[in-house]
Every structure is written in structure tokens, then in C-alpha cells.
């Protein structure tokens, strides 16, 4: 089949979590015979363990499928799977920019939910054609007519003829594919114009170097083309270019305007290939880069330390390898008196942080300790010097601080009107400043708040969901620094400050937080041979105190019929268990205790 | 190797106790008879290979060794005396379930050469015995001890269990009081440990147990009470009238050699630790019992010190230096924090655990010598 732009469709699928996005993608892959049935693993697109377990998509992914329509014409479908969390909003926006349309999947029994709306609006913002689909019609509680009406009323797009499907059983999935052809426009573009392609993702392959996923907007890219990445200025010769098969890359030697595919160009460093950047021909460049590019900066920082100090080198290797696939992860070495040598890592948000930590532990088999996440504070010293502090242990002596400032974000919260009170209460607790509120329709409200970033990095998203029964959606962007009454809260174990547990907090919250952390630590530090006082202090002043009592009984009484080996092994096992603990003087602290500090609600 | 003991495992029980994870199977007359034959085969095989070794102790453990008849004991002991040379003051112990209390039967057992009985009494409180699902009664246990004594056993031990369901300081006092008035020369007071693969490892049982702090109190109370009754502590869980410490158990704690016969029996012999597989069929069918090495690095300083620290006499670093090389100063330095906390005594390079130290001995031993 020769190249014909009119027979290409580029689209993504948007849905609320659990409405069946990945299952539909699987069915489409089956129907287009992109994947042999025997190779089908459930939810092929989400192939990271973490993604499958959490039911979320972390990395964007794309696959090309060949579809023969009922009228006998052949089409190429490019399905781009997108992440769905606020931490990755920018990545999502770039993936959407690579498509002409989106399949909107709505659960036939649950109807429209907050995430459906947030993602749909994002797609509409990118001028995508929306193809609504009502899923799970096999459920007894399905009410497809009502849901279609809801889509028309709330989103304002025609939906009464939306395909009613069951992705699980496969019913009517072919209708969806036919509607992709009729409803989603073919890409536009001119092969003869200078090359202009959007990077919507990249990853590192140990044989080919960085593989970049692109959508060609104008022009053609071929093996041998000298490309230039416009934001970074880096230049490379294309070694391979082609499309993404379901299980492997297929090198076809050239990509035309309108196509989605990949480029391999012996690129060593993933930081050269930023998501959102424009690829052009170095010898015949386009005049203007594509709009919408921005450099993504980490917002949340945390110390990451190997549990076993000897594994420092392994941890560095792991971070370097993760960074190959994730340019938004930053790290640099730091030292803690309590934890030894480790790294201060920067993340896009809390989910991103959790994912990286989990991947270090799983994929690299390293036990790590992470310190409480922190944002970057700005302090102006009495001598006029300005400092940015991403590690609480480096927070200057209060006597030397003229002004302390904290980062504030503009947030945008979408919520059904019945929960407005809950949201206002939550934002007030989190020191939010109310800006405005507007009714999008009778039932949905959009609220704007300015919120200190350090109030949302811990658990704001969870709190938001739990107070709105999962209906709220939330988005934010950095606004700037504002002066704030900040203090450094220290935690002392057995009278000694544990630097890795220190954090910066607004003075009004310091007492409550200090008390809560002391309690959490008491819960998480096992009783030991000696009593352990736990204190929270600001400056020299103790504001909270707890005590872990000494344990009384830890003895192997029985004789086990002369089985001395068993006794020895039990003791050794017990000792092994202690290796999961960090030793501070005579106090042993399990790594979980460091995370317990985060649990403040 | 100056002292050698023999351990014989008799893995049969009329009924398995729900907290016990030792190897045992249901009593069956035919199997037991095959088992006795196999034991004798193995005594002979051992003496053929090692010569007629002198032994100071024989210990029948279980299981329930008292399920063997007096004539079976007779058979085993006479065979043992052909294969080993008995020291003059040899201690020959059998464990016994106090549900058997017949005086005449005890006389028959005594005649076989057995000279020490260790009764699994556990408690003299009926409700506690029931919660442990023991088959004997408090009264039966008293009768068993008295009858064994009048049948000629003048060296009798009783096991008492601490930290059992619903136990209180008062109920324990009553048990100890009863024990103190009986003709006992030795008491082992074990704290119940919930073993993973046992029926006792269930939420329902665990919630009825005294908590760790209470059990610690029970333990200290036991030491104090028994001392008043003339039972002096010599090991974490063992108490004896003067001169009546269990010689067999001391072999374990003092890293002496012992040879184990029977399925699941453990040995420490010529610097190696090994066990017979826990399988009665393979034991009775094979001409010679199997051997599994249990520890690749046995009998080193850590092990020696771990065992010595269980004894009230403690670990003499001077004595240890004659056998092993280790960093004495580091150990003394580490011991200092425990000494300050009243958990160990240190004098003349001897480290010994105090009563409170015994209660947290795992942590102390790990820190000092593992």
C-alpha cells in the first residue's frame, strides 16, 4: 500500500480511570490483527508493572495498526496512549498535539466523571475531533441512553449516535473503528515543505540510543537526513526511521507529513530530546518551531539514599539509567549526617516521585530511604544574598534571614457544585487564597485558588479526591514566590537531630505537624533495648515529645532438642532484619519511619 | 572432646500439642517397633565406625518417648551399653507426659536404667492445661511426680510454661507453689513461643496471650520464686537444686559433642553440626540414618559465645581466648552500654547476663558477638 495521507488517522483515547481505556485499546489491537492473539497480554499498552498494578498510564506510547474498512479500503491508524495524571499534564498536551481526534470512552453505568471532563477539555483545547463511545453496555446497570444525553448536555457534542460497546466482550468495537474513519479527519501537511515534526516522547534503547517518537507535521524525514532539534540546537544524522509496531519498531526508511513514527539517530543523551521540541532538517530548516514547547522543571525534591551505604554506586547507576528515559528526573549528590551519601532528586510531582522510587526498588532491586518531599524556598539573607533552598538541612539560621519566600501555584479545580464547600474548606486548611469561582453549568463549578506548593506536594490530590468522592479534577501552574512565615522543624531522636527528618513548614502549622510526626515516629520505631525520646523542635525549642519505651522481652527460651543451628539462624535472621534499619547512635530506625513522616492526615 | 552425650529422638505422640512444632507422628505400635530396631542398627553402625566411645548422658526426647514400653527401653539401653561405655555417673533421662502416673510402671522404667524423668507439666492450673490442649490434669501430674519419685526416680524435672493463654501472676504463683512442694530437683520454665506452622499461630489464640511486658514480669517472678524454693537459675530457662543441673542440656550450652539418633535428631560431633532427615520411613527403611549438614560454619566463636551467654556463669573471654581468636576489647566495649543499663555484669573478663538481660538476650547476644 503506497503512502496516502487521506488513509491515515491519528488519535488517542481519553477516559476516566477504570472506564475501559486500556481494554478498548487491546480490542482494537486484536481487531486490526496488529497483535497475534497468542501474543496478547492483557493491556498491552501499559507494559510497566507499576502501570498495570495501579491501572494508570505513566509513559506515552504509540502503535500503528492497519485496518481494512467494511468498504474494503485500507487505513493506517496511529493510536497514541497518554498518561492521565496532573504531574504529567505537559506530556499529555504534547501527545494530544500529535493527534487529530480522540475517542472519548464513557462508562455506561457511571457516566461522565471529573477526569473525563478534564481530559476532554484538554483534547478540545487542542482542536481534536471528539468521538464519544459508551462502554460497558454488558453491565446490568448500563444506561447508555442517559449517558449519551449527559455527554450532549455537559460536553456539548452530539452523542446520541455514539457507538454503544463492550470493550470487554468486543461487542460493537468494529463500529468504533468505522467511526474513526468517518469522524476523525485525516492529517494535513505537505511533503515538500521543510521538515517540521513534534517530539511527543522519547526513551533510551541500549543498542540504538535515544528513540524519539514524532508526529511529522510538514515535510519528510528519511534515513540520512541531518536533523536539528530546535530548542536544544542539537544535530544528528537519522539512522533509522519508521513506525511503532505493537511489539517492535519497524524501520521503513522514511516518514511523511501526517505520519506518526520514530527516529533513531545515535543520540546519546536524552536531555537533547525534549518532549514538545520541534525536529527539523538542519540543511533546510523550517522558519518557526511548533508552538507549545516548554522546558519542564522539577517542582518537588527529595533526598534518596541507599539503605545499605555500600550501594551508593548502584543507586547512582540506577538514577542515571532512569534518567535516560525520563528527562524530567534530576539528581545531584548530597550528604546527610544521618543517612550518609545519597542524591537530591527533583520530580515533576508526588506521583512522579513515587514512581521513580518504586522503579528504583523494583527494577534495580535497591532498598532506599527517601526523605520528606520539599519544594524550593527562596531566602534573602540580611547581607542581601539570595539563596534557593531545596534541602531543609541547608536552611539558614533564622537570624540571618531577611525575607523567606515560598513558591505558590495558580490552581484550577473542577468540581460538582455539591462539593464546593468541601473544596473551600480544604483549600483554607492548605493556606489557599480564593481568587474566583464560576459555574460552568448548573452542576459544575470551576474554582481558582492560589496555593502554596508545599501544601499540595504531600497529599493534596488524595485529599481532594476523598472529599469529593473522586469527582474533583485539579490542575496547577507555577505562579511565583511570595513572602511567608517559614520555620525549620527538626526532629530529635535520643537528643540528636536527625537531619534527614528536618523540614520547612509555615509557622501556623508547625505545632500540629511536629506533634503528628512525633506520634507517627513513635508508631513506626519498634521498641528497642533502650528507651528512645522523640522530640520535635523549632530552633532550640521543643514543641512535641513522645517516647518509645524499651522492650522487655526478646529471648529464645526453648532448647529445640539440641538444634543449636536453629537458634543461631533465628538470631542471624533477626540481625538481618535490623539491616533494614538505620542506626542513629543507639537508635535503630526502620526505613518506613521516614515515609511515615509524610503521612500527615 | 572429653564429654559426649547421646540424644535419641522418639517422634511419636498420642496426640500433637497445638503449640509444638517438633517433628512427631501419631503413635503406631508396628512403626515404633521398626523404629526401635533401626535405632539399634544405628548405635551399632556408629560404634563400628567410631569405636566404643565413653558417654556421660543419654537423653530420650520427643515426641513422647514414654510411649515406648519398659522392655523397649531395656532393649535400647542394653544395646547402647554394648556400643558405648557409660561413665559411672551417667545421666539417663526420658521426657514424659504426666498423663501416665502408674507407680508400678515407673518402677519398671526405673529398672531399665533410666534415672531421670522430665515431665511436661506446663501448668498446675486446669484451665491453662485445657487451653494448651494437654491431655493430663493438674492432679494427675502431681500423682505422676510423686509416684515416679517413690518408684526410685530421685532426679525429676518439670517443664513449666510462661506466657500461656490467660496466665496471670497469681495463676503462675500457684503453679510454682505446687511445683516447689513436689519432689522435684529441676525445673525448666519456658516462655511460650508461637511457631509459624502450628495451630497456635492464629489471631484467636494470640489475643489471649499475656503481652510481652506481662510475660517479662512472669519470668522475673519465676526466677525470684524458684530461688526462694531452692531452685537456682543456671540457664535462661533452667533451674536446679544444688548439683542437679541437667548434664545433658549443659552439653549443649558448653559446646560439647553429642550424637543424635532417630528421625529429626541433631548432632554436634567432631566440629560439625548435622541432623537426621525428619522422615520416619526413610529412617526405618535405610540401614544407616541420613545426615544433613545444618551449619556450614559451626562451632565458631559466635556460636560458642551465644551459648555461653545463656548460662548464669556467663562467657569467660579468657577461656574463650584459648580456643578462638577474636577482638576482646571490642566486645568489652560493646558490653559497656548494657552494663550501664543493668543488663549484663562484667568482671574479670567474664560477661554474664542479669535477669533483665536474659529477657532481652537476643539483642544483647547479637550486638556482642554475632
Amino acid at each position: 500500500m503506497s503512502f496516502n495521507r487521506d488513509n491515515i488517522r491519528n488519535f488517542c483515547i481519553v477516559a476516566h480511570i477504570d472506564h475501559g481505556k486500556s481494554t478498548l485499546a487491546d480490542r482494537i489491537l486484536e481487531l486490526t490483527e496488529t497483535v497475534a492473539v497468542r501474543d496478547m497480554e492483557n493491556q498491552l499498552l501499559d507494559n510497566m508493572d507499576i502501570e498495570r498494578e495501579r491501572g494508570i498510564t505513566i509513559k506515552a506510547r504509540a502503535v500503528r495498526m492497519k485496518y481494512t474498512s467494511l468498504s474494503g479500503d485500507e487505513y493506517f491508524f496511529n493510536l497514541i496512549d497518554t498518561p492521565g495524571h496532573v504531574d504529567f499534564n505537559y506530556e499529555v498536551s504534547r501527545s494530544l498535539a500529535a493527534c487529530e481526534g480522540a475517542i472519548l470512552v464513557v462508562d455506561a453505568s457511571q457516566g461522565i466523571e471529573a477526569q473525563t471532563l478534564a481530559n476532554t477539555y484538554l483534547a478540545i483545547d487542542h482542536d481534536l475531533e471528539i468521538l464519544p463511545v459508551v462502554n460497558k453496555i454488558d453491565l446490568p446497570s448500563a444506561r447508555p441512553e442517559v449517558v449519551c444525553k449527559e455527554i450532549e448536555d455537559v460536553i456539548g457534542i452530539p452523542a446520541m449516535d455514539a457507538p454503544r460497546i463492550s470493550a470487554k466482550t468486543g461487542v460493537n468495537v468494529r463500529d468504533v473503528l468505522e467511526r474513526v474513519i468517518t469522524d476523525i479527519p485525516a492529517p494535513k501537511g505537505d511533503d515538500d515543505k521543510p521538515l517540521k515534526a513534534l517530539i511527543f516522547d522519547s526513551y533510551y534503547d541500549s543498542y540504538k540510543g535515544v528513540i524519539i517518537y514524532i508526529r511529522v507535521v510538514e515535510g519528510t524525514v528519511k534515513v540520512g537526513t541531518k536533523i536539528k532539534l530546535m530548542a536544544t540546537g542539537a544535530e544528528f544524522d537519522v539512522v533509522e526511521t519508521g513506525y511503532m509496531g505493537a511489539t517492535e519498531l519497524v524501520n521503513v526508511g522514511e516518514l511523511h507529513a501526517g505520519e506518526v513514527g520514530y527516529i533513531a539517530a545515535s543520540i546519546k543523551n536524552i536531555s537533547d530530546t525534549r518532549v514538545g521540541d520541534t525536529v527539523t532538517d538542519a540543511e533546510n530548516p523550517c522558519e518557526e518551531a511548533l508552538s507549545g514547547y516548554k522546558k519542564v522543571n522539577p517542582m518537588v525534591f527529595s533526598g534518596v539514599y541507599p539503605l545499605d551505604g555500600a550501594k551508593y554506586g548502584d543507586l547512582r547507576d540506577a538514577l542515571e539509567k532512569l534518567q535516560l528515559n525520563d528527562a524530567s528526573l534530576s539528581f545531584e549528590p548530597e550528604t546527610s549526617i544521618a543517612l550518609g551519601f545519597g542524591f537530591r532528586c527533583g520530580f515533576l510531582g508526588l506521583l512522579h516521585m513515587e514512581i521513580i522510587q518504586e522503579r528504583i526498588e523494583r527494577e534495580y532491586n535497591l532498598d532506599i530511604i527517601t526523605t520528606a518531599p520539599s519544594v524550593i524556598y527562596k531566602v534573602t539573607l540580611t547581607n542581601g544574598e539570595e539563596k534557593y533552598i531545596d534541602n531543609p538541612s541547608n536552611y539558614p539560621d533564622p537570624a540571618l534571614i531577611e525575607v523567606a519566600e515560598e513558591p505558590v501555584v495558580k490552581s484550577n479545580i473542577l468540581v460538582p457544585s455539591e462539593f464546593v464547600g468541601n473544596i473551600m474548606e480544604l483549600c483554607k486548611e492548605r493556606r489557599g487564597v480564593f481568587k474566583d469561582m464560576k459555574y460552568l453549568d448548573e452542576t459544575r463549578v470551576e474554582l481558582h485558588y492560589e496555593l502554596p506548593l508545599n501544601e499540595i506536594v504531600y497529599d493534596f490530590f488524595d485529599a481532594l479526591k476523598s472529599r469529593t468522592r473522586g469527582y474533583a479534577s485539579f490542575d496547577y501552574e507555577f505562579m511565583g514566590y511570595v513572602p511567608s512565615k517559614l520555620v525549620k522543624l527538626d526532629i530529635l531522636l535520643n537528643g540528636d537531630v536527625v537531619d534527614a527528618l528536618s523540614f520547612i513548614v509555615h509557622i501556623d502549622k508547625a505545632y500540629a505537624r511536629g506533634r503528628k510526626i512525633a506520634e507517627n515516629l513513635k508508631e513506626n520505631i519498634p521498641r528497642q533495648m533502650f528507651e528512645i525520646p522523640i522530640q520535635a523542635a523549632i530552633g532550640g525549642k521543643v514543641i512535641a515529645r513522645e517516647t518509645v519505651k524499651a522492650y522487655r522481652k526478646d529471648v529464645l527460651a526453648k532448647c529445640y532438642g539440641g538444634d543449636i543451628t536453629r537458634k543461631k539462624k533465628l538470631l542471624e535472621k533477626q540481625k538481618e532484619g535490623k539491616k533494614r534499619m538505620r542506626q542513629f547512635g543507639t537508635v535503630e530506625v526502620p526505613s518506613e519511619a521516614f515515609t511515615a513522616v509524610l503521612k500527615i492526615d | 572432646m572429653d564429654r559426649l552425650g547421646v540424644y535419641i529422638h522418639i517422634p511419636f505422640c498420642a496426640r500433637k500439642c497445638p503449640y509444638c512444632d517438633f517433628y512427631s507422628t501419631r503413635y503406631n505400635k508396628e512403626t515404633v517397633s521398626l523404629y526401635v530396631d533401626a535405632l539399634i542398627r544405628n548405635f551399632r553402625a556408629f560404634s563400628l565406625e567410631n569405636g566404643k566411645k565413653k558417654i556421660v548422658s543419654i537423653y530420650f526426647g520427643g515426641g513422647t518417648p514414654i510411649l515406648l514400653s519398659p522392655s523397649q527401653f531395656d532393649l535400647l539401653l542394653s544395646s547402647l551399653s554394648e556400643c558405648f561405655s557409660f561413665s559411672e555417673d551417667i545421666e539417663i533421662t526420658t521426657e514424659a507426659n504426666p498423663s501416665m502416673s502408674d507407680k508400678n510402671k515407673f518402677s519398671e522404667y526405673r529398672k531399665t536404667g533410666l534415672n531421670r524423668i522430665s515431665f511436661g507439666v506446663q501448668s498446675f492450673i486446669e484451665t491453662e492445661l485445657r487451653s494448651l490442649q494437654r491431655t493430663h490434669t493438674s492432679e494427675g501430674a502431681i500423682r505422676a511426680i510423686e509416684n515416679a519419685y517413690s518408684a526410685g526416680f530421685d532426679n525429676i524435672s518439670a517443664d513449666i510454661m510462661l506466657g500461656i493463654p490467660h496466665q496471670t501472676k497469681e495463676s503462675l504463683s500457684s503453679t510454682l507453689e505446687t511445683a516447689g512442694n513436689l519432689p522435684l530437683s529441676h525445673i525448666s520454665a519456658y516462655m511460650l513461643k508461637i511457631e509459624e506452622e502450628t495451630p497456635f499461630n492464629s489471631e484467636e489464640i494470640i489475643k489471649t496471650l499475656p503481652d510481652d511486658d506481662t510475660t517479662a514480669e512472669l519470668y522475673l517472678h519465676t526466677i525470684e520464686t524458684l530461688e526462694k524454693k531452692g531452685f537456682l537459675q543456671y540457664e535462661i530457662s533452667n533451674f536446679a537444686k544444688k548439683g542437679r543441673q541437667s548434664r545433658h542440656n549443659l552439653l549443649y550450652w558448653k559446646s560439647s559433642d553429642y550424637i543424635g539418633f532417630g528421625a529429626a535428631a541433631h548432632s554436634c560431633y567432631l566440629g560439625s553440626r548435622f541432623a537426621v532427615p525428619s522422615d520416619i520411613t526413610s529412617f526405618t527403611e535405610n540401614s544407616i540414618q541420613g545426615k544433613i549438614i545444618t551449619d556450614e560454619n559451626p562451632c565458631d566463636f559466635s556460636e560458642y559465645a551465644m551459648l555461653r551467654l545463656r548460662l548464669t556463669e556467663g562467657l569467660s573471654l579468657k577461656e574463650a581466648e584459648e580456643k578462638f581468636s577474636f577482638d576482646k576489647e571490642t566486645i568489652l566495649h560493646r558490653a559497656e552500654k548494657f552494663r550501664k543499663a543493668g543488663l549484663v555484669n562484667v568482671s574479670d573478663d567474664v560477661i554474664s547476663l542479669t535477669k533483665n538481660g536474659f529477657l532481652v538476650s537476643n539483642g544483647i547476644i547479637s550486638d556482642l558477638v554475632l
Side-chain angles (χ1 to χ4, degrees), chain A residues 18-175:
Chain A
D18 286 342
H19 279 196
K21 181 174 92 161
S22 300
T23 314
L24 176 60
D26 285 350
R27 281 303 88 73
I28 294 177
L29 287 168
E30 263 176 14
L31 262 181
T32 55
E33 290 166 27
T34 308
V35 195
V37 175
R38 64 171 184 282
D39 294 334
M40 274 298 292
E41 214 174 323
N42 275 334
Q43 311 205 337
L44 196 91
L45 286 175
D46 287 343
N47 60 18
M48 261 194 256
D49 285 348
I50 304 175
E51 293 182 318
R52 290 210 175 130
E53 281 170 23
R54 296 193 179 198
I56 53 172
T57 303
I58 299 164
K59 274 193 81 68
R61 234 170 250 106
V63 60
R64 178 193 280 200
M65 299 168 283
K66 192 162 140 185
Y67 176 63
T68 307
S69 71
L70 294 175
S71 59
D73 299 319
E74 284 192 332
Y75 288 85
F76 281 128
F77 285 176
N78 289 304
L79 168 60
I80 298 176
D81 195 20
T82 58
H85 191 274
V86 60
D87 280 8
F88 306 106
N89 254 354
Y90 175 68
E91 283 78 355
V92 179
S93 77
R94 295 306 84 203
S95 293
L96 295 177
C99 302
E100 275 77 35
I103 299 176
L104 167 65
V105 181
V106 184
D107 183 308
S109 61
Q110 299 191 10
I112 292 181
E113 302 207 28
Q115 215 185 339
T116 324
L117 278 178
N119 291 334
T120 309
Y121 287 131
L122 207 56
I124 292 172
D125 283 350
H126 286 82
D127 294 328
L128 302 196
E129 192 62 40
I130 308 292
L131 167 57
V133 166
V134 179
N135 189 22
K136 304 198 189 181
I137 55 160
D138 54 313
L139 293 182
S141 55
R143 38 185 184 96
E145 303 312 311
V146 178
V147 169
C148 286
K149 180 83 174 44
E150 195 178 35
I151 296 171
E152 294 204 335
D153 289 350
V154 177
I155 302 177
I157 53 171
M160 291 321 288
D161 63 343
R164 275 85 160 148
I165 69 162
S166 165
K168 196 170 118 198
T169 64
V171 169
N172 296 339
V173 175
R174 187 169 286 274
D175 290 355

Side-chain angles (χ1 to χ4, degrees), chain A residues 554 556 560 562 565-566 575, chain B residues 21 195 258 294 310 359 370:
Chain A
D554 173 30
L556 296 172
Y560 294 120
T565 310
R566 176 167 174 177
K575 186 151 183 155
Chain B
D21 74 338
E195 303 289 353
Y258 48 94
T294 55
R310 298 183 63 90
L359 271 170
L370 280 190

